[in-house]
Amino acid sequence: MRRTRRHGLLLLPWFLVPTIAQAGIVLTVDGVDENLRNAVVSGVELSQYAARDVTAAQVRRLYENAPDEVQAALRPYGYYEATATGDMRQVGKDWQVTLHVVPGVPVKVTSVNVEIDEEAGKVPAIRRAVRGIQNLKDQPLNDGVYDGARDAVSGALTATGFLDARIVTRRVEVNRAEHTAAVNLKWEAGRRYRYGVVRFKNSQFREDFLDRYVPFRKGDYFSQSQLLELQQALNGADYFAVVNVIPDTDDAKDGTIDINVELAPAKRTIYTGGPFFGTDTGAGLRGGIEKRWINDRGHKWKNELVLAQRLKTVSTLYQIPMPGPNQRSFNFGANFRDANTVTSKSRTVQLVANETRLWHGWTRTIGVNVLSGTFTVGKRGGEGDNAEGLERGRSTLLYPEVTLSRKKGDNPTFVRNGWSLTLTGRSTAGTLLSDASFSQVIGDAKWIHSFWGRNRLILRGTAGKIWTDNFSDLPPQLRFFAGGDRSVRGYDFESIGPRNAFNRVIGGEGLLVGSTEVEHYFTRNWGMAAFVDAGNAFTGTDYSPRVGAGLGVRWLSPVGMIRADIGVPVGDKNEHGIHLHVVIGPDL
């Protein structure tokens, strides 16, 4: 028979328990929520023998100690009168132990008294941290929450320049009879330190250039967040292999702290290259040379060559960084492009000059473009350049361009929740230095949301509009087409759009494309996708969307996300067959 012990546990008398040499303990805890249950399991020694050998005598000792251990485990959560009863029985070679926990009435914080120097109390970061302690009032006493709130005030004092701050009173008075607690805390903030001089060591740049990265000035109040901002800015500049920002607190004098920035230059020249494949471009080779800096003012120079089956480009870009809060830069580039899609062929040269900066949370680019070249539109398959109905042209266009882009994601490699938005506007000034007059706006958006564990919903949309009286003079890269990897899958790249009198695709003045995709991941790196894309390029109001649907494989490889999709046209009597689409690159 069972006896009820003084502390409330139901225990089999030890002389009735069969003795075994090897056994484990299976522990079950009920009567409390998951948070408290986890605390009990972690706090009782019984849980340590789930996969360890235990004798009958050890089980008895551990069982007897459990009530006191339960009470100790729940005390940090404000439960000072927790009790536990239970039972145990042998099942095979193991012991099944159940603890029935009654947590009791929790202790509640009924008063909070925080004292801090008046000057420190006016600092917003410190004031927010103090408010966190005051918010403990009328809440159950929780040691972890209390410790975190108290340490947040100490951290805020140090982070905002009160380096000599110390806590002189920290007392929590618990009245177990009334289930109440009073919190009393007091800090002496001391002097608030200011910045002294900033010294850059082992830099390859002139001092006035690096000074642009410093988000503070001599005499400003010391702030750890600003030091982190400085370190992140220097790392992001891609000039240095090592960046260490170290406040010289040992030699702080007269309330000022000098900042030492230890640097080590990164490799100056980077060579990139290798084979690649994209269903829109075909197989090809890519090579690049980048000069991370070419002088002591931090200027950069990038060059890239692409040789693919349907695309050949040579590009160069010269950048003049203007470091500061808005991360401004001036950029000058040139690009030769020889493109050959299923519907068009073009050879163009483009010159670009623009300014890029952060603007109200957006990346803003304002510049001017010169685009000149020859083109042919309306191709079909491998027919010759003299086929009837082809449209040819040659044009030179000068147009300003403005782009606003913004994105947010929880992980740059694999986004579980995030979005991106890009808005572009470009227009000629009539026919000034241009063979055609046009204005164009484009919007591109993408939204990613995870659900039910290893699943993602991806929505994508693109819309655009052209206003022009000279559409035939616009090269293919300024016209709107649909179809391809990043448009309507199930169709060839730029194979969808308005047609001329010879039933040849020549592109349109409007674009509207949307996509819905669901991904499920079987492992951390492998998954599958199902998608439906719809859209078309059009002229006027004659919009008739084409639909493509299919399945795909997803692989989060060491070089980034690789997407391989099989798509087919849906409900299109003129288009049939299976199309393979392969895309390598980030989600956003």
Side-chain angles (χ1 to χ4, degrees):
M1 61 180 292
R2 290 177 178 167
R3 297 178 182 175
T4 302
R5 300 185 60 85
R6 176 173 52 83
H7 48 62
L9 280 177
L10 299 176
L11 177 64
L12 284 173
W14 66 271
F15 52 82
L16 295 180
V17 175
T19 302
I20 60 175
Q22 295 180 341
I25 296 176
V26 179
L27 177 64
T28 302
V29 177
D30 59 30
V32 288
D33 61 25
E34 182 178 2
N35 188 40
L36 296 183
R37 183 165 58 250
N38 292 337
V40 170
V41 171
S42 299
V44 297
E45 195 176 358
L46 284 163
S47 63
Q48 300 178 20
Y49 287 83
R52 295 170 57 186
D53 294 338
V54 63
T55 65
Q58 287 175 312
V59 175
R60 178 170 63 86
R61 178 184 60 81
L62 295 171
Y63 192 72
E64 291 175 338
N65 293 339
D68 293 336
E69 293 174 339
V70 168
Q71 191 174 80
L74 294 184
R75 191 174 296 121
Y77 296 86
Y79 296 91
Y80 282 73
E81 298 176 349
T83 60
T85 59
D87 54 69
M88 70 176 185
R89 61 193 179 93
Q90 184 182 2
V91 179
K93 297 178 64 176
D94 292 328
W95 292 95
Q96 285 192 351
V97 178
T98 301
L99 298 179
H100 309 293
V101 178
V102 178
V105 179
V107 170
K108 183 177 291 186
V109 178
T110 54
S111 70
V112 176
N113 179 40
V114 179
E115 296 183 46
I116 199 167
D117 296 359
E118 183 178 0
E119 180 186 1
K122 294 179 180 179
V123 178
I126 299 174
R127 190 165 60 246
R128 287 192 297 270
V130 170
R131 193 179 303 124
I133 294 180
Q134 293 169 340
N135 289 338
L136 298 177
K137 187 177 180 180
D138 298 327
Q139 300 296 319
L141 178 63
N142 184 301
D143 289 359
V145 175
Y146 162 76
D147 290 344
R150 182 196 65 216
D151 294 344
V153 175
S154 296
L157 284 163
T158 301
T160 53
F162 295 93
L163 304 184
D164 300 328
R166 63 190 185 96
I167 186 169
V168 294
T169 299
R170 50 178 175 183
R171 185 171 65 252
V172 179
E173 299 173 348
V174 176
N175 187 323
R176 297 179 61 172
E178 298 182 3
H179 304 101
T180 62
V183 174
N184 295 280
L185 295 167
K186 181 179 180 179
W187 280 268
E188 290 182 356
R191 168 188 289 175
R192 188 178 187 185
Y193 285 79
R194 298 177 182 268
Y195 290 112
V197 299
V198 179
R199 304 185 185 93
F200 295 96
K201 300 180 179 180
N202 303 317
S203 167
Q204 65 270 43
F205 303 112
R206 56 174 65 182
E207 286 284 336
D208 58 349
F209 173 70
L210 291 179
D211 285 341
R212 289 176 170 269
Y213 287 96
V214 181
F216 52 83
R217 292 291 175 260
K218 182 178 180 180
D220 291 348
Y221 285 122
F222 177 88
S223 169
Q224 287 183 346
S225 63
Q226 288 179 328
L227 297 185
L228 179 60
E229 182 181 346
L230 172 59
Q231 180 152 1
Q232 291 174 336
L234 292 172
N235 280 323
D238 200 32
Y239 294 128
F240 307 105
V242 175
V243 177
N244 291 319
V245 179
I246 305 172
D248 191 1
T249 56
D250 292 337
D251 291 331
K253 299 176 182 178
D254 301 324
T256 63
I257 299 177
D258 294 339
I259 308 299
N260 296 320
V261 182
E262 298 178 352
L263 304 169
K267 186 178 180 180
R268 186 170 187 175
T269 304
I270 302 175
Y271 300 92
T272 58
F276 71 94
F277 176 80
T279 45
D280 290 348
T281 61
L285 295 172
R286 177 182 285 112
I289 301 175
E290 177 184 351
K291 289 285 188 179
R292 281 173 162 158
W293 72 92
I294 63 172
N295 54 33
D296 61 2
R297 295 182 297 278
H299 294 190
K300 297 172 175 283
W301 190 23
K302 298 179 181 179
N303 300 276
E304 185 180 54
L305 171 66
V306 174
L307 297 174
Q309 290 173 289
R310 293 184 290 276
L311 178 66
K312 299 172 180 61
T313 64
V314 179
S315 61
T316 185
L317 178 65
Y318 191 90
Q319 295 179 291
I320 303 176
M322 305 291 288
N326 54 16
Q327 299 181 19
R328 187 182 180 195
S329 72
F330 292 101
N331 313 289
F332 305 91
N335 178 62
F336 169 76
R337 184 173 186 267
D338 184 349
N340 188 3
T341 74
V342 295
T343 57
S344 68
K345 187 176 182 180
S346 63
R347 286 187 176 181
T348 57
V349 174
Q350 185 174 17
L351 303 178
V352 178
N354 60 45
E355 180 223 45
T356 299
R357 67 164 66 191
L358 292 180
W359 181 74
H360 298 289
W362 296 76
T363 298
R364 187 191 73 185
T365 302
I366 299 178
V368 63
N369 294 260
V370 177
L371 180 64
S372 180
T374 61
F375 55 87
T376 301
V377 293
K379 290 175 51 188
R380 288 188 196 141
E383 64 184 2
D385 292 340
N386 296 322
E388 185 180 20
L390 293 177
E391 297 186 7
R392 301 176 181 81
R394 175 190 294 272
S395 64
T396 298
L397 303 170
L398 171 68
Y399 56 91
E401 181 177 275
V402 179
T403 299
L404 292 174
S405 64
R406 191 170 185 173
K407 65 181 179 179
K408 183 178 181 181
D410 53 9
N411 188 310
T413 304
F414 182 80
V415 177
R416 296 188 57 81
N417 292 283
W419 56 270
S420 67
L421 179 62
T422 301
L423 305 173
T424 301
R426 50 175 72 104
S427 178
T428 59
T431 56
L432 177 65
L433 301 177
S434 299
D435 294 327
S437 172
F438 81 97
S439 297
Q440 183 183 65
V441 294
I442 306 172
D444 188 85
K446 191 173 185 180
W447 182 74
I448 301 174
H449 179 69
S450 63
F451 65 99
W452 297 347
R454 293 180 173 180
N455 302 287
R456 296 199 304 175
L457 172 65
I458 302 175
L459 304 179
R460 170 174 52 83
T462 303
K465 176 63 178 174
I466 299 173
W467 294 268
T468 181
D469 294 329
N470 314 94
F471 185 78
S472 61
D473 291 325
L474 298 182
Q477 63 207 79
L478 292 178
R479 304 184 187 192
F480 290 128
F481 297 85
D485 301 343
R486 304 177 188 273
S487 181
V488 181
R489 287 164 287 187
Y491 291 83
D492 286 329
F493 178 58
E494 294 189 349
S495 64
I496 310 174
R499 299 170 182 264
N500 63 9
F502 296 88
N503 200 34
R504 296 178 178 275
V505 177
I506 60 171
E509 298 176 0
L511 178 68
L512 191 58
V513 173
S515 172
T516 299
E517 182 174 313
V518 176
E519 295 179 345
H520 173 73
Y521 284 83
F522 302 101
T523 69
R524 181 178 179 181
N525 298 324
W526 286 93
M528 66 173 295
F531 62 87
V532 176
D533 301 339
N536 207 338
F538 59 96
T539 297
T541 59
D542 185 18
Y543 178 68
S544 178
R546 300 290 188 269
V547 178
L551 300 173
V553 176
R554 300 291 179 264
W555 178 33
L556 186 56
S557 75
V559 298
M561 180 65 75
I562 297 178
R563 306 167 186 83
D565 295 321
I566 297 294
V568 297
V570 177
D572 191 334
K573 62 182 180 180
N574 297 318
E575 293 288 341
H576 306 280
I578 296 175
H579 290 74
L580 172 66
H581 301 275
V582 178
V583 176
I584 302 175
D587 289 313
L588 299 177

